[in-house]
Amino acid sequence: MFDPLLLELTTRIQAKGGESVFVKEEFKKCVSKRGDAFISSWLWKVPGFRRWRVTRLDAGQKLQVLNSVAYPEFDNDQPLMGIDLLWFGSSSKLVAILDFQPLIQEEAYFARYFQGLKLLQSDYPEFNNKEIMRSFDPNKYFSPWILFCRGGLAEATKSLPLAFSAFLNCYLDLQKNALQGQSHISDSQVKRLQIDYDIYSAERDPAHGLFSSYFGKTWSDHFLNEFLFPGSSLCN
Ligand code: BLA
């Protein structure tokens, strides 16, 4: 379902000068014990970003996922880019979440980085669902202009590709501002906040149960703490 979007994301990353980084065999590709699902991951070093990861989960009709997070360099306090797209084929349900994940929740920070995302939210009203979050706190590492859609086939095939491209463009535009010296938070504080993002996300990510059911608890613990949110294992 999301392969054209994965291709678009990869193409954009490469056009930005992204270079593929080594991923441990265990995380690069893993097939479920029953052989009914496989998960693949890629890691990129893109100029301006210290880490950009991409994961694709293919569990056939049951579930398709595209997930990605971009972590800017520590000298740039711009939000992280977070993408989580899920397609439940048997029930034709889409859950799509795209956000500029803010390091802090302050008006001046929002004014610096969120003008573009604000406009996108008004351009794509189907991504403006007033969703109640169950696992996460909407006021921690999520923005007031999060693009969040619970929809069906029409949203997945028509609106999502448009919103996805516009979202990527808009996020990549942020870097131009960063280059103009807009970063206000100190490098050490950005580092602390990005690590805290990993710790918080590893604790809350609703994917853990799902991964465990396909790939076993041990693999899932490693994948979450070492690949998805490596900052979370620094304090262990
Ligand atoms: C929700 N994400 C979910 C859910 C699942 C996943 C199963 C619950 C679906 C539902 O509410 O119906 C699955 N998350 C995954 C998978 C991966 C993953 C398979 O990370 C594989 C790598 N989640 C992110 C990122 C964002 C994010 C980067 O990983 C930021 C945009 C957001 N996912 C996010 C949110 C929800 C969600 C906000 C809703 C959770 C809630 O209701 O609190």
Side-chain angles (χ1 to χ4, degrees):
M1 171 56 89
F2 301 125
D3 282 356
L5 305 186
L6 172 60
L7 179 64
E8 182 176 352
L9 179 60
T10 308
T11 308
R12 295 301 302 270
I13 287 175
Q14 287 171 328
K16 288 273 304 170
E19 287 180 8
S20 166
V21 176
F22 173 80
V23 176
K24 264 186 176 175
E25 208 51 47
E26 137 185 46
F27 301 143
K28 203 160 122 188
K29 187 157 183 185
C30 181
V31 181
S32 67
K33 288 177 192 138
R34 295 185 297 270
D36 55 351
F38 66 91
I39 186 163
S40 313
S41 291
W42 299 265
L43 197 54
W44 298 94
K45 178 74 191 74
V46 182
F49 296 89
R50 65 178 185 86
R51 178 181 175 84
W52 195 321
R53 66 161 168 83
V54 180
T55 294
R56 171 189 190 273
L57 170 69
D58 181 354
Q61 276 287 90
K62 267 200 181 147
L63 179 62
Q64 304 276 321
V65 178
L66 177 61
N67 182 280
S68 182
V69 176
Y71 297 78
E73 296 283 6
F74 294 137
D75 64 359
N76 176 359
D77 71 3
Q78 80 175 52
L80 289 83
M81 186 211 72
I83 295 177
D84 198 13
L85 309 178
L86 296 94
W87 173 249
F88 300 89
S90 347
S91 49
S92 292
K93 279 198 184 128
L94 172 76
V95 181
I97 304 136
L98 306 107
D99 200 10
F100 293 2
Q101 302 203 255
L103 292 179
I104 54 171
Q105 304 272 335
E106 282 178 10
E107 280 310 318
Y109 183 86
F110 288 147
R112 253 186 292 145
Y113 291 122
F114 285 81
Q115 303 307 329
L117 191 64
K118 244 187 236 187
L119 289 174
L120 278 190
Q121 217 198 36
S122 55
D123 285 349
Y124 297 94
E126 50 294 41
F127 283 80
N128 199 354
N129 294 12
K130 289 285 167 242
E131 284 293 338
I132 307 294
M133 287 194 194
R134 294 183 281 250
S135 319
F136 297 108
D137 173 353
N139 298 314
K140 201 167 177 197
Y141 298 118
F142 287 102
S143 82
W145 303 281
I146 183 170
L147 304 184
F148 196 155
C149 174
R150 284 187 194 271
L153 191 62
E155 287 77 13
T157 54
K158 297 200 169 67
S159 325
L160 178 62
L162 298 174
F164 185 85
S165 295
F167 173 84
L168 274 186
N169 285 336
C170 187
Y171 184 73
L172 291 170
D173 276 351
L174 283 188
Q175 250 203 319
K176 293 177 195 152
N177 300 343
L179 294 175
Q180 287 159 9
Q182 288 226 355
S183 193
H184 289 20
I185 307 176
S186 71
D187 297 19
S188 60
Q189 188 70 348
V190 170
K191 180 175 179 183
R192 198 188 61 74
L193 288 164
Q194 286 195 7
I195 289 173
D196 184 61
Y197 167 90
D198 274 0
I199 296 169
Y200 175 76
S201 305
E203 277 168 7
R204 304 286 184 106
D205 198 324
H208 187 261
L210 188 143
F211 288 147
S212 299
S213 71
Y214 283 114
F215 308 106
K217 185 176 178 313
T218 309
W219 184 90
S220 303
D221 286 347
H222 289 176
F223 185 62
L224 237 86
N225 293 314
E226 292 176 37
F227 183 79
L228 291 183
F229 306 111
S232 67
S233 54
L234 294 177
C235 54
N236 289 342

